[in-house]
Amino acid sequence: MSVQKEIRRVTTLTLMEMKQRKEKISMLTSYDYSMARLVDAAGVDVILVGDSASNVMAGHETTLPITLDQMIYHASSVVRAARRALVVVDLPFGSYQGNSKEALNSSIRIMKESGAHAVKLEGGSEIGESVKRILTAGIPVMGHLGLTPQSIYKFGTYQVRAREEEEAARLLEDAQLLAESGVFAIVLEKIPATLAAAVAEAVSVPVIGIGAGGQCDGQVLVVHDMLGITEAFSPRFLRRYLNAGELIREAVARYVEDVKGGDFPNSKEQY
Ligand code: KIV
């Protein structure tokens, strides 16, 4: 008789305990069932159904166009695949900035319709009321500060944020405010490593960096970037673990050649 090993789900509490014992947290994005299955089986702690789906899955230039319905579709596919990882879903642009009631309603839709475990919102003090209202409903919230892509038109550039003292001080204050409000973790995107280290030290919740240096409590990357599927995107912070783009092109080219040459299917590949 084969005994199946019990898989323990990563929870928001697990992440807090990992920070306390200085165990790094691994987080990757996924947007569909097949990729999420692989990512989960490889032992990633948190799967983020990021609104980067707007870029990676739909080919938009920014994260702004993706809708709440589309995020729910991606999230429910990922939830069906993830057996161990905590699944966090981005609230897309336009689904929470209006007011805290809208933010709560969007979060409830994500949780109810996708079965995900938490939501992520971009911003600091300006979304403070929304964060509190979502938390009051029992929905775990992850914060996101620094280069928040939904504000790209306000920034006008994808360059590193908070290099200047004033913006750095504001970011630190925002992180403290989010942590005090009760978020379970904060993503820090593209900020100086020294600032990220100071935030990690200052707040009790895990900070998860992307382009924010090695002193964060965890790291996150977009899975298509680290696998080399989105080949044109190569910022300094990105480490490529595979050239999947090249491998896929080669495989597809061989298939085309086999079909055209009459080599596929052969006698064993037919009925
Ligand atoms: O949408 C996303 O993929 C993200 C990560 C870059 C943190 O928010």
Side-chain angles (χ1 to χ4, degrees):
M1 192 179 80
S2 76
V3 181
Q4 278 225 325
K5 213 176 140 213
E6 194 196 336
I7 296 171
R8 285 189 66 187
R9 173 78 70 184
V10 175
T11 67
T12 55
L13 186 65
T14 317
L15 302 183
M16 196 67 91
E17 289 166 353
M18 287 170 82
K19 171 160 179 141
Q20 279 157 9
R21 57 171 188 266
K22 297 192 187 321
E23 181 184 339
K24 298 275 188 180
I25 297 162
S26 59
M27 173 159 137
L28 275 180
T29 64
S30 292
Y31 319 101
D32 68 277
Y33 176 83
S34 303
M35 182 68 83
R37 261 192 87 134
L38 296 170
V39 166
D40 184 68
V44 156
D45 300 309
V46 184
I47 298 182
L48 172 66
V49 184
D51 58 359
S52 50
S54 178
N55 312 104
V56 176
M57 294 274 102
H60 292 297
E61 208 175 303
T62 72
T63 58
L64 276 67
I66 200 159
T67 65
L68 185 57
D69 284 337
Q70 287 165 342
M71 287 303 295
I72 290 169
Y73 167 76
H74 287 297
S76 50
S77 309
V78 169
V79 166
R80 282 192 286 276
R83 297 177 65 197
R84 176 181 173 271
L86 181 83
V87 179
V88 182
V89 183
D90 264 333
L91 282 185
F93 178 70
S95 73
Y96 64 100
Q97 289 90 347
N99 55 57
S100 64
K101 187 164 181 237
E102 183 187 41
L104 175 61
N105 288 342
S106 300
S107 304
I108 288 176
R109 277 204 60 202
I110 287 179
M111 301 297 282
K112 241 182 158 47
E113 295 176 39
S114 78
H117 311 126
V119 296
K120 175 163 83 61
L121 286 75
E122 296 183 5
S125 57
E126 71 278 13
I127 55 151
E129 204 187 309
S130 297
V131 168
K132 282 191 197 140
R133 194 154 179 181
I134 299 167
L135 286 165
T136 308
I139 300 171
V141 175
M142 178 180 269
H144 187 160
L145 297 169
L147 178 65
T148 44
Q150 291 178 13
S151 301
I152 191 57
Y153 291 120
K154 183 178 84 180
F155 298 143
T157 167
Y158 279 101
Q159 274 170 14
V160 177
R161 300 308 308 173
R163 277 198 196 278
E164 307 302 325
E165 226 172 274
E166 199 184 320
E167 193 178 332
R170 206 172 336 117
L171 188 143
L172 184 57
E173 263 174 40
D174 278 340
Q176 279 165 327
L177 187 117
L178 287 172
E180 279 156 23
S181 299
V183 302
F184 69 91
I186 301 170
V187 167
L188 296 178
E189 182 162 354
K190 225 171 169 190
I191 63 168
T194 47
L195 175 60
V199 175
E201 178 75 27
V203 300
S204 57
V205 299
V207 300
I208 305 190
I210 171 162
Q215 299 306 306
C216 296
D217 304 302
Q219 298 293 326
V220 55
L221 285 175
V222 169
V223 73
H224 290 67
D225 296 341
M226 57 85 79
L227 293 178
I229 298 172
T230 49
E231 294 165 300
F233 183 69
S234 58
R236 173 153 131 194
F237 67 76
L238 175 63
R239 186 179 293 181
R240 274 204 209 294
Y241 287 83
L242 191 68
N243 287 319
E246 212 173 292
L247 295 175
I248 292 170
R249 257 193 317 276
E250 274 170 23
V252 173
R254 277 197 288 122
Y255 165 75
V256 171
E257 204 180 293
D258 288 352
V259 170
K260 302 243 179 231
D263 190 49
F264 175 79
N266 62 27
S267 58
K268 288 191 195 124
E269 292 163 330
Q270 63 192 15
Y271 301 97

